[in-house]
Amino acid sequence: MSHPLHISATSKEEKYLFLLPQLKGLLEGETDTIANMANISAALKITFGFFWVGFYIVKREELVLGPFQGTIACTRIKYGKGVCGTAWKEKRTVIVEDVNQFPGHIACDAASQSEIVIPMFSHDEVIAVLDIDSDHLNHFDETDARYLQQIVKLLERE
Ligand code: SME
Protein backbone atom coordinates (compact mmCIF):
# COMPACT_ATOMS: atom_id res chain seq x y z
CA MET A 1 0.00 0.00 0.00
CA SER A 2 1.42 3.42 -0.83
CA HIS A 3 1.33 6.33 1.59
CA PRO A 4 1.70 9.60 -0.28
CA LEU A 5 2.57 12.56 1.95
CA HIS A 6 0.35 15.64 1.83
CA ILE A 7 2.26 18.68 3.03
CA SER A 8 0.53 21.95 2.20
CA ALA A 9 1.57 23.89 5.31
CA THR A 10 3.90 26.85 5.07
CA SER A 11 5.46 27.60 8.46
CA LYS A 12 7.95 25.19 9.97
CA GLU A 13 5.67 24.37 12.89
CA GLU A 14 2.70 23.78 10.57
CA LYS A 15 4.79 21.43 8.47
CA TYR A 16 5.73 19.39 11.53
CA LEU A 17 2.10 19.35 12.69
CA PHE A 18 1.01 18.05 9.28
CA LEU A 19 3.84 15.57 9.08
CA LEU A 20 3.57 13.95 12.53
CA PRO A 21 0.20 12.19 12.13
CA GLN A 22 1.14 11.10 8.63
CA LEU A 23 4.35 9.57 9.92
CA LYS A 24 2.39 7.81 12.65
CA GLY A 25 0.21 6.28 9.95
CA LEU A 26 3.21 5.42 7.81
CA LEU A 27 4.92 3.58 10.66
CA GLU A 28 1.78 1.88 11.95
CA GLY A 29 1.99 -1.86 11.57
CA GLU A 30 5.64 -1.84 10.50
CA THR A 31 7.96 -3.01 13.24
CA ASP A 32 11.22 -3.04 11.27
CA THR A 33 13.31 -0.15 12.59
CA ILE A 34 15.52 0.16 9.50
CA ALA A 35 12.48 0.35 7.21
CA ASN A 36 10.92 3.00 9.43
CA MET A 37 14.17 5.00 9.65
CA ALA A 38 14.33 4.94 5.85
CA ASN A 39 10.81 6.31 5.47
CA ILE A 40 11.32 8.95 8.17
CA SER A 41 14.46 10.14 6.36
CA ALA A 42 12.59 10.36 3.07
CA ALA A 43 9.60 12.13 4.63
CA LEU A 44 11.81 14.76 6.31
CA LYS A 45 13.79 15.30 3.11
CA ILE A 46 10.61 15.74 1.04
CA THR A 47 8.93 18.01 3.59
CA PHE A 48 11.80 20.32 4.49
CA GLY A 49 14.36 19.83 1.72
CA PHE A 50 17.12 19.33 4.28
CA PHE A 51 20.60 19.02 2.80
CA TRP A 52 21.22 15.71 4.61
CA VAL A 53 18.97 13.69 6.90
CA GLY A 54 19.57 10.24 8.27
CA PHE A 55 20.35 7.91 11.10
CA TYR A 56 23.50 6.58 12.70
CA ILE A 57 23.04 3.35 14.67
CA VAL A 58 25.01 2.38 17.80
CA LYS A 59 27.08 -0.73 17.14
CA ARG A 60 29.51 -1.56 19.97
CA GLU A 61 31.75 1.51 20.47
CA GLU A 62 30.75 3.33 17.29
CA LEU A 63 27.90 4.90 15.41
CA VAL A 64 27.46 3.27 12.00
CA LEU A 65 25.69 4.93 9.08
CA GLY A 66 22.07 3.84 8.66
CA PRO A 67 19.24 4.89 6.33
CA PHE A 68 19.67 8.42 5.00
CA GLN A 69 18.80 10.88 2.24
CA GLY A 70 21.53 13.14 0.85
CA THR A 71 25.15 13.04 -0.19
CA ILE A 72 27.57 10.22 0.60
CA ALA A 73 28.44 10.35 4.31
CA CYS A 74 31.04 9.18 6.82
CA THR A 75 30.27 5.59 7.76
CA ARG A 76 31.60 5.39 11.35
CA ILE A 77 31.71 7.88 14.22
CA LYS A 78 33.36 7.14 17.57
CA TYR A 79 31.67 7.63 20.96
CA GLY A 80 31.93 11.29 21.98
CA LYS A 81 33.26 12.43 18.58
CA GLY A 82 31.65 15.03 16.36
CA VAL A 83 28.12 16.31 16.85
CA CYS A 84 26.61 12.82 16.60
CA GLY A 85 29.04 11.24 19.06
CA THR A 86 28.44 14.14 21.46
CA ALA A 87 24.65 13.67 21.36
CA TRP A 88 25.22 9.96 22.06
CA LYS A 89 27.64 10.57 24.96
CA GLU A 90 25.63 13.39 26.55
CA LYS A 91 22.26 11.71 25.85
CA ARG A 92 20.74 14.95 24.63
CA THR A 93 19.69 16.79 21.51
CA VAL A 94 22.52 18.95 20.18
CA ILE A 95 21.87 22.01 18.01
CA VAL A 96 24.88 23.55 16.25
CA GLU A 97 24.31 26.98 14.70
CA ASP A 98 27.65 26.97 12.86
CA VAL A 99 29.43 23.65 12.45
CA ASN A 100 32.71 25.45 11.74
CA GLN A 101 32.68 26.68 15.35
CA PHE A 102 31.95 23.24 16.88
CA PRO A 103 35.16 21.65 18.19
CA GLY A 104 35.61 18.21 16.64
CA HIS A 105 32.83 18.58 14.10
CA ILE A 106 33.10 15.83 11.47
CA ALA A 107 32.69 17.37 8.03
CA CYS A 108 31.25 14.66 5.79
CA ASP A 109 30.37 17.35 3.25
CA ALA A 110 31.89 20.85 3.24
CA ALA A 111 28.51 22.31 2.25
CA SER A 112 27.05 21.53 5.67
CA GLN A 113 26.75 24.70 7.81
CA SER A 114 24.45 23.88 10.72
CA GLU A 115 23.24 20.68 12.29
CA ILE A 116 20.85 19.06 14.77
CA VAL A 117 21.26 15.61 16.29
CA ILE A 118 18.53 13.84 18.28
CA PRO A 119 19.29 10.68 20.26
CA MET A 120 16.98 7.67 20.12
CA PHE A 121 16.65 5.66 23.33
CA SER A 122 15.87 2.15 24.47
CA HIS A 123 15.68 1.70 28.27
CA ASP A 124 17.65 4.92 28.86
CA GLU A 125 20.46 3.87 26.51
CA VAL A 126 21.11 5.64 23.21
CA ILE A 127 20.67 3.12 20.39
CA ALA A 128 20.80 5.50 17.40
CA VAL A 129 20.78 9.19 16.51
CA LEU A 130 18.85 11.18 13.93
CA ASP A 131 21.25 13.62 12.27
CA ILE A 132 20.12 16.53 10.08
CA ASP A 133 22.45 18.92 8.25
CA SER A 134 21.59 22.22 6.60
CA ASP A 135 23.64 24.09 4.03
CA HIS A 136 22.54 27.32 5.77
CA LEU A 137 23.88 28.70 9.03
CA ASN A 138 21.64 28.71 12.10
CA HIS A 139 18.90 26.63 10.50
CA PHE A 140 17.70 24.68 13.54
CA ASP A 141 16.01 25.80 16.74
CA GLU A 142 13.93 24.52 19.65
CA THR A 143 10.89 24.00 17.40
CA ASP A 144 12.88 21.52 15.31
CA ALA A 145 14.19 19.87 18.48
CA ARG A 146 10.71 19.48 19.97
CA TYR A 147 9.09 17.93 16.89
CA LEU A 148 12.06 15.85 15.81
CA GLN A 149 12.15 14.33 19.32
CA GLN A 150 8.51 13.35 18.84
CA ILE A 151 9.34 11.80 15.47
CA VAL A 152 12.21 9.81 16.98
CA LYS A 153 9.86 8.64 19.75
CA LEU A 154 7.71 6.97 17.07
CA LEU A 155 10.65 4.60 16.56
CA GLU A 156 11.29 4.10 20.26
CA ARG A 157 7.93 2.37 20.75
CA GLU A 158 9.24 -0.67 18.84
N1 SME B 1 28.66 16.16 11.09
C1 SME B 1 28.44 14.94 11.81
C2 SME B 1 28.87 13.74 11.02
C3 SME B 1 27.77 13.13 10.21
S1 SME B 1 27.44 13.97 8.80
O1 SME B 1 27.00 15.33 9.13
C4 SME B 1 26.28 13.21 7.89
C5 SME B 1 29.16 14.99 13.16
O2 SME B 1 29.95 15.92 13.41
O3 SME B 1 28.94 14.10 13.97
Side-chain angles (χ1 to χ4, degrees):
M1 187 168 51
S2 72
H3 292 270
L5 285 176
H6 299 287
I7 306 294
S8 55
T10 48
S11 81
K12 176 158 73 179
E13 184 147 26
E14 279 180 323
K15 284 184 182 174
Y16 280 118
L17 286 169
F18 267 77
L19 182 60
L20 252 173
Q22 294 184 71
L23 277 179
K24 277 184 193 151
L26 191 62
L27 270 55
E28 215 165 56
E30 178 51 71
T31 56
D32 188 279
T33 303
I34 297 293
N36 287 334
M37 286 175 167
N39 269 338
I40 286 174
S41 301
L44 288 169
K45 176 82 172 167
I46 291 167
T47 304
F48 295 99
F50 292 133
F51 177 73
W52 196 95
V53 50
F55 289 86
Y56 281 89
I57 299 162
V58 173
K59 294 192 179 169
R60 300 166 70 92
E61 298 307 306
E62 292 177 319
L63 290 165
V64 180
L65 183 64
F68 74 96
Q69 297 269 320
T71 52
I72 291 170
C74 323
T75 52
R76 289 172 189 269
I77 297 171
K78 297 242 183 276
Y79 181 73
K81 299 294 179 193
V83 187
C84 292
T86 300
W88 176 17
K89 184 176 179 183
E90 297 183 2
K91 295 186 170 183
R92 65 177 181 92
T93 294
V94 179
I95 295 174
V96 180
E97 294 176 1
D98 179 355
V99 296
N100 302 301
Q101 305 299 321
F102 187 93
H105 169 256
I106 300 163
C108 296
D109 191 309
S112 175
Q113 297 296 314
S114 57
E115 184 163 356
I116 185 169
V117 179
I118 299 96
M120 171 183 167
F121 294 91
S122 174
H123 307 291
D124 277 346
E125 290 304 313
V126 176
I127 55 168
V129 299
L130 169 61
D131 177 22
I132 306 180
D133 288 33
S134 170
D135 52 3
H136 294 93
L137 287 169
N138 202 10
H139 192 121
F140 303 102
D141 57 22
E142 288 305 320
T143 300
D144 297 287
R146 192 165 71 248
Y147 287 106
L148 291 169
Q149 282 161 3
Q150 290 181 47
I151 289 171
V152 166
K153 282 217 181 314
L154 297 175
L155 290 166
E156 290 175 355
R157 71 178 159 69
E158 291 160 8

